Amino acid sequence: IMLNNLKEALPQLGQSQADVIYEVPAEGGITRMLAVYQSLDGVGKIGSIRSARPYYLELALGHDAIYIHAGGSEDAYAKIRQWGVTALDGVNGPYMSNSENGNLMWRDPERRKSYSLEHTVVTTGTSIIERLPTYGLRLEHEDGYRCQMNFVEDGTPAGGAEAPRITVPVSHYKTGVFTYDVDSGRYLVEEYGKAYVDGDTGEQVGVTNVLVLRTACKATGDSLGHITVDLTGGGDGWFACCGRLIPICWSKADRNSPLVYTTADGQPLVLGQGSTYVNIIPRENEITWE
């Protein structure tokens, strides 16, 4: 599910219950999140939902996922058709309502009182669970699909540097901060100088695993400032869990394949059981920790 991350659109809703959050820059230095859910049982309101870009499609394809969005760039729409992405669109598809729970997505009446219209599209876990089976979609993974993420109860990276506070510069607009909370065993997330809060639960988002992937992010040169993000070239990055951090490498064989993570010496990376936050940032950006 594509999530808006403009300051004026916050708080996001329902992101704290995602299994994986991908944050990637978009035009003008803003970022958006792609929230991936194994299950939507018990998930309340989710949003606000925003538009597609081609590289978010590649992330969704890597999970063999159903992709929910509201609008998209011309290139994203073209790629949805070319790549055969199972995409449910709240702007140019039959999935939007102006009344609460009137369709898969709707413009939230409460948000419409104080937010611009483009910041009001939401759904709920219940709405998705109830409606997906009525669309004639494949709801099971393709034969042979395997998620490449490996988990153990204690994901503390061997030999890692102490990293109780990690700062991840994504752009001039957005820097993320992850502070390890010993009591919960999770990194608490901040952005824009404040706690990153789930507006549905009122709680600060905390994650077990923090990944940072560095790659080429380049302007397309179009009038709207769109960018490309290379997700198949591979590269370096960092992994943090339980307050410790190590360098890693990442790869993605093609747009349909999952991301694969290894330690610097080529061994499969093992993550801690729990949720994961993946920061995808320009190759020239350097994270810091203390």
Side-chain angles (χ1 to χ4, degrees):
I1 304 176
M2 283 298 306
L3 297 178
N4 195 346
N5 196 42
L6 286 175
K7 294 175 187 177
E8 56 267 33
L10 298 179
Q12 291 177 357
L13 309 169
Q15 80 277 27
S16 66
Q17 292 171 275
D19 292 281
V20 185
I21 296 173
Y22 292 96
E23 182 174 16
V24 196
E27 54 275 7
I30 68 169
T31 67
R32 288 186 181 155
M33 277 74 162
L34 179 69
V36 182
Y37 298 83
Q38 283 190 103
S39 170
L40 288 156
D41 287 336
V43 180
K45 196 168 284 185
I46 305 169
S48 62
I49 302 172
R50 282 305 299 265
S51 58
R53 299 291 182 268
Y55 39 94
Y56 295 106
L57 303 178
E58 293 183 64
L59 293 169
L61 287 169
H63 285 279
D64 187 31
I66 294 169
Y67 180 78
I68 295 175
H69 65 110
S73 65
E74 289 186 10
D75 193 22
Y77 276 124
K79 295 294 197 301
I80 287 170
R81 294 187 295 270
Q82 293 169 17
W83 296 347
V85 181
T86 302
L88 308 180
D89 179 12
V91 171
N92 291 312
Y95 303 106
M96 177 69 82
S97 172
N98 283 317
S99 61
E100 187 157 2
N101 203 33
N103 206 325
L104 178 69
M105 289 170 260
W106 57 92
R107 297 197 181 276
D108 183 68
E110 281 303 310
R111 289 181 74 90
R112 289 189 69 169
K113 294 176 183 178
S114 53
Y115 290 84
S116 298
L117 194 64
E118 67 269 25
H119 305 325
T120 62
V121 180
V122 301
T123 185
T124 63
T126 299
S127 178
I128 296 171
I129 290 169
E130 291 179 349
R131 287 182 167 87
L132 280 190
T134 71
Y135 297 150
L137 304 174
R138 174 173 58 83
L139 299 179
E140 300 291 337
H141 280 303
E142 289 185 318
D143 290 344
Y145 173 82
R146 178 179 176 272
C147 178
Q148 297 295 319
M149 300 172 78
N150 304 300
F151 298 89
V152 294
E153 186 173 350
D154 183 355
T156 308
E162 290 189 16
R165 184 177 174 86
I166 305 166
T167 301
V168 181
V170 182
S171 70
H172 63 85
Y173 183 83
K174 166 64 198 285
T175 295
V177 178
F178 300 82
T179 303
Y180 186 62
D181 176 57
V182 175
D183 292 337
S184 66
R186 299 185 300 169
Y187 277 95
L188 301 180
V189 189
E190 302 168 44
E191 65 173 10
Y192 308 128
K194 299 178 180 179
Y196 177 48
V197 173
D198 182 334
D200 191 53
T201 66
E203 297 178 354
Q204 184 174 5
V205 176
V207 294
T208 302
N209 307 291
V210 177
L211 288 157
V212 181
L213 314 183
R214 300 200 303 176
T215 192
C217 302
K218 298 179 180 178
T220 64
D222 71 6
S223 60
L224 298 175
H226 291 138
I227 67 170
T228 61
V229 177
D230 182 5
L231 292 178
T232 56
D236 63 356
W238 302 92
F239 164 65
C241 184
C242 298
R244 302 192 75 86
L245 176 144
I246 60 170
I248 62 167
C249 298
W250 66 271
S251 62
K252 194 176 190 295
D254 54 48
R255 64 173 174 265
N256 294 304
S257 297
L259 283 160
V260 175
Y261 308 113
T262 64
T263 59
D265 61 359
Q267 298 301 307
L269 185 66
V270 179
L271 291 78
Q273 290 176 0
S275 57
T276 301
Y277 195 118
V278 184
N279 304 266
I280 297 177
I281 68 173
R283 184 171 287 148
E284 59 271 19
N285 291 13
E286 296 282 355
I287 73 167
T288 57
W289 62 91
E290 55 187 3

